[in-house]
Amino acid sequence: MDSSPNLQASSPPAAELCAINSVSLDQTSNFIYPNFVYLGQLAQCYLLVKQEDALLLLDHHAVHEAILHSRLRSGSYQAETQLLGLPISLSLHPSEADELENLLPQLEALGYVLELKQNELPTKAHEPQTKTLEIKAIPAILEMGQAKEFLQKSLNGQANSLHDMWATMACRAAIKANCPLTNDEALELVRQWINTKDARYCPHGRPTGVRL
């Protein structure tokens, strides 16, 4: 199942962009956004943009990664969900159950469907009362092992686990190399990049573009 996201609500999924003929520089008219002029696509991987007296070469995969990562962090991107035929059960310590309550909105936005159930009271007074977490669905672009590992790390309080998941999901969902874009699609990508905070680098630390 393809889970590539939309560049905007009315635009086609990123996977569909690859079915469109490539834009070559000698066929492209200038497309203008305030202070930016989109000139065309190079090698179906890079976008050439003029900013006043400078030229920017943008990696369209890294640019899309940065945009999606920002949306995932802010909770403004709703990922697609893969329903499981049989729910997977995890026994949670009370501290993990508390962490789940804190993270539940973010996890649901990533594509998880989770249900927390109260277990029977422990037989010994000093034993904590555990709860059972049923995983009914996972993010569509993650494998089961990845989804379970990221969830467990998140509930264990490992600070980087959600960041790692956002980075993985953004990378998998972003437009890939060798994917031709129409002028309108490329300009929309540039527009969103301009309007995304901290979009100079992808979540893996690569620059999204260079100034020529």
Side-chain angles (χ1 to χ4, degrees), residues 94-191:
S95 62
E96 293 175 322
D98 290 341
E99 188 67 15
L100 176 64
E101 291 185 9
N102 296 329
L103 295 177
L104 190 58
Q106 292 172 297
L107 293 171
E108 289 177 341
L110 294 176
Y112 284 98
V113 176
L114 306 169
E115 182 179 352
L116 190 61
K117 295 184 176 181
Q118 189 81 34
N119 292 343
E120 295 182 1
L121 292 173
T123 55
K124 297 181 181 179
H126 66 277
E127 292 181 348
Q129 184 177 9
T130 61
K131 296 182 179 180
T132 296
L133 176 64
E134 285 195 353
I135 307 172
K136 297 187 174 182
I138 61 174
I141 59 176
L142 295 181
E143 298 175 358
M144 184 62 235
Q146 286 180 314
K148 184 177 178 181
E149 178 184 4
F150 279 129
L151 181 59
Q152 289 175 319
K153 286 183 176 181
S154 300
L155 300 182
N156 286 336
Q158 296 186 25
N160 292 329
S161 57
L162 275 177
H163 171 80
D164 292 342
M165 180 179 286
W166 292 328
T168 297
M169 294 182 68
C171 182
R172 291 195 173 202
I175 300 167
K176 302 301 186 288
N178 301 315
C179 179
L181 305 180
T182 67
N183 292 329
D184 287 343
E185 291 159 348
L187 187 61
E188 174 62 18
L189 194 63
V190 172
R191 183 191 69 78

Side-chain angles (χ1 to χ4, degrees), residues 1-62:
M1 174 171 49
D2 193 297
S3 55
S4 300
N6 294 345
L7 296 183
Q8 60 179 8
S10 59
S11 64
E16 294 180 11
L17 303 179
C18 294
I20 303 168
N21 291 331
S22 176
V23 177
S24 60
L25 289 178
D26 58 355
Q27 297 172 336
T28 304
S29 300
N30 291 351
F31 284 70
I32 300 175
Y33 187 78
N35 300 321
F36 286 81
V37 179
Y38 170 64
L39 300 177
Q41 188 178 27
L42 295 174
Q44 298 184 3
C45 294
Y46 304 99
L47 306 180
L48 188 62
V49 177
K50 183 178 180 182
Q51 182 190 24
E52 299 177 351
D53 59 348
L55 288 177
L56 303 179
L57 189 64
L58 304 179
D59 179 331
H60 70 203
H61 174 73

